Amino acid sequence: MQQLEQRALDLGVPLSVQFDLTYRCNERCVHCYLEHDDRGEMSTVEVCTVLDQLAEAGVFFLIFSGGEVFMRRDLFEILAHARALQFDVKVKTNAFMIGAREAERIRELGVRSAQVSIYSHRPEVHDAITKLPGSLARSLEGIRLLRAQGLSVIVVNVLMRSNVGDYPRVKALAQELGAEYTIDPTITPKLDGDRSILSLGIGGEDLQQVFHNSDLVGNIEEFCAPPPPATNDVLEEFPCSAGHTFCYISPYGEVYPCVQFSLPCGNVRGQKFLDIWNHSAALGEVRSIQARHLPVCSTCVHLATCTRCPGLAYTEGDMRGLSTQDCEKAFARTGIEGTGNVARASRP
């Protein structure tokens, strides 16, 4: 995979794309960054035309997400077209609407995996987050049906103040279901810039406990080790794959570097995808930024190991600036104050 990523980067190929088919959803999760009204999502023909263009551009990994993808009645038609184009397809779903027939069809189409968010093993906690009564029971049943078809399922546990103590039981539940398990300690600001939902996220001691749990992060000594000095190679690296080998397409055809990086780069309803990918001025700016161009982060002790997200930095006002959430993660992981932590503390 590292060789494949490097080859795509060298050739300027968009190896992976997340394509949100709808923002409509049957759940109303308290931490969701989307608005759920339909502002005119792309038709079946439009979506399939874009898929043709993605195949032409060299895209291989395709993630269908939402909203809830099963809100689209043409989902299986879209999946069939994507698989006919030989994309490696993953689906993000809450699994609420998956029955035996849907699970069987997903397997028949050769979808590689399904990612399902489970917030707690306790219905009262999970359902309070989704605001949909019975959602935990239905999502778990959907996972069971997918696993019965032999499909790979990844259970994602987004950690918030309301459920942070439940992750050991959620991990055990995933193991009982035969699913993979991963945590996500990041709450993303809303696409309209509203950052109020960040107050739902964990930090401080909670984040430290998560990052010092070997059951979640593996080798503690390696994961929490002091970061090595930044070399010239590190200074020449790009912040992440967004805009380089990965991008995001909204249900309305808008192209962004990433789902967390809401910088408009074009719209496939008016331009061919490859024209946007190759000629967007916004994507050109994103691609021009190396680690050495980050005014604060380039001098930080954590530069070589930080998970800094340029999209989250962009929501704070500057794609070259701090992602304060990642500063907090670096400190929670190592206990070492970084330049970003000092800079935030000195702000008036």
Side-chain angles (χ1 to χ4, degrees), residues 3 30 39 51 60 102 120 123 143 149 153 167-168 192 227 237 251 280 319:
Q3 293 176 351
V30 295
R39 295 191 287 105
L51 294 180
F60 181 61
E102 287 78 15
S120 173
I143 292 173
Q149 291 292 330
V153 177
Y167 63 79
D192 62 6
E237 289 180 355
S280 164
M319 71 176 78

Side-chain angles (χ1 to χ4, degrees), residues 16-272:
S16 305
V17 169
Q18 176 170 325
F19 196 162
D20 279 5
L21 298 177
T22 182
Y23 286 160
R24 290 176 289 134
C25 191
N26 52 339
E27 296 182 337
R28 289 293 184 270
C29 295
V30 295
H31 62 292
C32 186
Y33 52 84
L34 300 173
E35 62 172 33
H36 296 297
D37 293 332
D38 181 1
R39 295 191 287 105
E41 61 197 31
M42 285 188 283
S43 66
T44 311
V45 171
E46 286 180 303
V47 169
C48 290
T49 298
V50 172
L51 294 180
D52 293 339
Q53 294 178 16
L54 295 182
E56 180 187 3
V59 174
F60 181 61
F61 297 105
L62 189 60
I63 304 165
F64 285 124
S65 185
E68 171 49 49
V69 290
F70 278 89
M71 297 293 284
R72 288 205 54 141
R73 297 186 178 186
D74 58 355
L75 175 62
F76 287 122
E77 185 176 348
I78 291 170
L79 289 176
H81 192 76
R83 291 295 296 128
L85 292 169
Q86 298 187 326
F87 289 114
D88 179 284
V89 175
K90 181 165 77 172
V91 172
K92 293 184 179 181
T93 172
N94 58 37
F96 187 101
M97 302 169 71
I98 292 178
R101 197 181 318 178
E102 287 78 15
E104 182 179 10
R105 185 64 179 136
I106 292 172
R107 189 261 304 161
E108 290 173 347
L109 288 169
V111 172
R112 182 163 63 93
S113 66
Q115 179 176 306
V116 184
S117 292
I118 299 294
Y119 303 106
S120 173
H121 64 289
R122 296 180 290 162
E124 64 272 20
V125 175
H126 178 97
D127 295 0
I129 290 173
T130 66
K131 297 184 180 179
L132 181 61
S135 57
L136 176 61
R138 289 287 295 270
S139 292
L140 293 179
E141 179 59 19
I143 292 173
R144 291 187 183 97
L145 291 169
L146 291 169
R147 292 293 301 131
Q149 291 292 330
L151 287 158
S152 173
V153 177
I154 302 106
V155 167
V156 178
N157 190 184
V158 179
L159 301 182
M160 291 172 272
R161 295 177 187 273
S162 61
N163 70 343
V164 66
D166 290 351
Y167 63 79
R169 293 290 299 275
V170 177
K171 181 178 181 180
L173 181 59
Q175 291 173 333
E176 291 172 14
L177 294 167
E180 297 179 44
Y181 173 83
T182 185
I183 58 167
D184 184 357
T186 303
I187 301 297
T188 302
K190 292 186 178 182
L191 290 184
D192 62 6
D194 183 356
R195 299 177 62 81
S196 61
I197 57 175
L198 299 187
S199 63
L200 300 170
I202 65 170
E205 291 185 6
D206 285 336
L207 194 57
Q208 290 177 35
Q209 288 180 11
V210 168
F211 281 177
H212 289 77
N213 185 329
S214 59
D215 288 338
L216 297 178
V217 301
N219 188 318
I220 293 295
E221 292 185 3
E222 182 178 322
F223 185 76
C224 298
T231 63
N232 282 332
D233 287 343
V234 171
L235 288 168
E236 291 175 0
E237 289 180 355
F238 299 115
C240 73
S241 63
H244 293 277
T245 59
F246 177 86
C247 72
Y248 165 70
I249 302 175
S250 83
Y252 313 117
E254 302 147 330
V255 178
Y256 300 98
C258 177
V259 67
Q260 293 187 151
F261 199 159
S262 54
L263 174 70
C265 299
N267 193 306
V268 292
R269 277 179 156 164
Q271 302 167 268
K272 284 194 171 183

